[in-house]
Amino acid sequence: MSETRVTPETLNLEVRIGGLRLQNPIMPASGAFGQEMDEVVDFNRIAAIVPKSITKEPRKGNLTPRVCEVPGGMINSIGIQSKGLEYYLAKTIPSFKGYDVPLISSISADSVEEFAEMAETIGALPEVAALELNISCPNLKGNGLAFGMDPEVTRRLMVRVKEVTDKPIIAKLSPNVTSIQEIAIAAEEGGADALNVANTILAMAIDIHSRRPKIGNVMGGLSGPSVKPIIVRMIYQVRQVSKLPIIGCGGVMNGEDAIEMMLAGATAVQVGTASFINPTALTDILEEIKGYMVQYQIRDVNELIGGVRIS
Ligand SMILES: Cc1cc2nc3c(=O)[nH]c(=O)nc-3n(C[C@H](O)[C@H](O)[C@H](O)COP(=O)(O)O)c2cc1C
């Protein structure tokens, strides 16, 4: 009957992530988003604002060159260049005031206590809706091992952060592990409200003429289309062992990629590298999802989550 036909106007795109109500599933990935993008993207149309990870003290970042292109993506080793917490509180957060979508603050730190200290300060701000913990950076007190590579450290970190804030906590997992399931379980046990699967994949590229690494820091993180099949697999695996909502992140370039991640089990999707290539990627992806839903007469985007047909 014509009244029941799904049209762009009758779609439900709202999803929930750890107590957050998002108007749709498409948000930027930390590090690939800045206030200046409001010239091309209507921030009020995306799911959330996710600024670059902040560290407590200002950091210069790594040696240059910090990015290089590779087939199917890019390697970056920015090294969490950061203006520090003071600047973040005084300038970054106020710069996002006036948009009608939740602000998710991404935090990087060198120790469990520093994570907790920052989470307490940032989590207390009414402007901040949720915290994303970038546990993929090296833990200086753990021999350079990323927090998110060790299940016990991941669990402890979540427990400690949950003690200092009531805001939803998203654990951004490292894909550079043997078992992403083990880390996902640990984050859930520690009290994480949602999981981001995942950060960049450790990679290296060499210029054969100079014989030098193409990245000043020798190795960096791979992102873009080349990582997507790995991330889709990880989302699917995490979905098998955890009830937490998953934010899929890695290689989403268009609506089809976002839908694929949702079918694997993601509730929402972050977009990074695509925005460097196409500044309006976030809203373009949203429109493509709507087109797919109308094509297949799917009224509610939540029906896609975990909808892959196995066997
Ligand atoms: C230039 C650049 C800077 C990034 N900075 C951060 C960061 O500060 N914090 C973080 O959690 N992830 C950071 N990332 C990782 C992205 O958030 C995302 O996890 C990764 O790029 C995979 O998604 P994509 O393939 O859509 O880019 C950065 C990625 C790039 C390319």
Side-chain angles (χ1 to χ4, degrees), residues 29-31 52-53 67 74 76 78 80 106 132 134 172 198-200 223-224 227 249-252 270-274 276:
S30 176
K52 184 165 177 60
S53 296
V67 291
M74 63 188 274
N76 92 81
I78 309 291
I80 315 289
S106 170
E132 184 174 90
N134 178 2
K172 185 166 180 180
N199 214 311
T200 53
S223 63
V227 308
C249 180
V252 173
Q270 288 186 349
V271 178
T273 303
F276 292 121

Side-chain angles (χ1 to χ4, degrees), residues 135 148-151 154 173 177 179-188:
I135 59 171
M149 290 179 185
D150 181 325
T154 299
L173 305 187
V177 292
S179 169
I180 191 101
Q181 291 180 315
E182 201 185 9
I183 308 293
I185 291 167
E188 181 165 10

Side-chain angles (χ1 to χ4, degrees), residues 226-303:
S226 54
V227 308
K228 192 194 67 180
I230 300 170
I231 299 299
V232 169
R233 179 266 293 177
M234 289 183 168
I235 293 168
Y236 177 71
Q237 286 185 313
V238 169
R239 168 94 188 178
Q240 310 304 306
V241 295
S242 173
K243 297 244 175 328
L244 295 181
I246 298 168
I247 301 174
C249 180
V252 173
M253 307 305 283
N254 52 46
E256 285 187 19
D257 296 334
I259 291 161
E260 190 180 349
M261 281 195 181
M262 292 189 75
L263 292 174
T267 295
V269 165
Q270 288 186 349
V271 178
T273 303
S275 291
F276 292 121
I277 299 163
N278 168 21
T280 60
L282 287 161
T283 43
D284 291 353
I285 289 170
L286 195 56
E287 290 308 314
E288 286 162 19
I289 292 176
K290 288 188 195 170
Y292 173 88
M293 289 172 70
V294 171
Q295 182 187 351
Y296 286 97
Q297 291 291 291
I298 300 162
R299 190 176 301 278
D300 184 350
V301 77
N302 290 276
E303 284 174 28

Side-chain angles (χ1 to χ4, degrees), residues 83-151:
K83 291 186 168 153
L85 184 57
E86 221 171 282
Y87 182 94
Y88 189 75
L89 299 176
K91 299 271 191 240
T92 309
I93 291 193
S95 79
F96 289 113
K97 232 168 59 194
Y99 299 107
D100 211 13
V101 293
L103 169 68
I104 299 176
S105 283
S106 170
I107 301 176
S108 265
D110 292 335
S111 69
V112 170
E113 274 319 301
E114 197 174 284
F115 262 114
E117 203 182 310
M118 292 180 70
E120 187 167 18
T121 306
I122 299 175
L125 301 174
E127 304 92 307
V128 174
L131 302 173
E132 184 174 90
L133 305 187
N134 178 2
I135 59 171
S136 326
C137 50
N139 167 7
L140 296 187
K141 298 211 169 117
N143 261 335
L145 202 72
F147 291 88
M149 290 179 185
D150 181 325

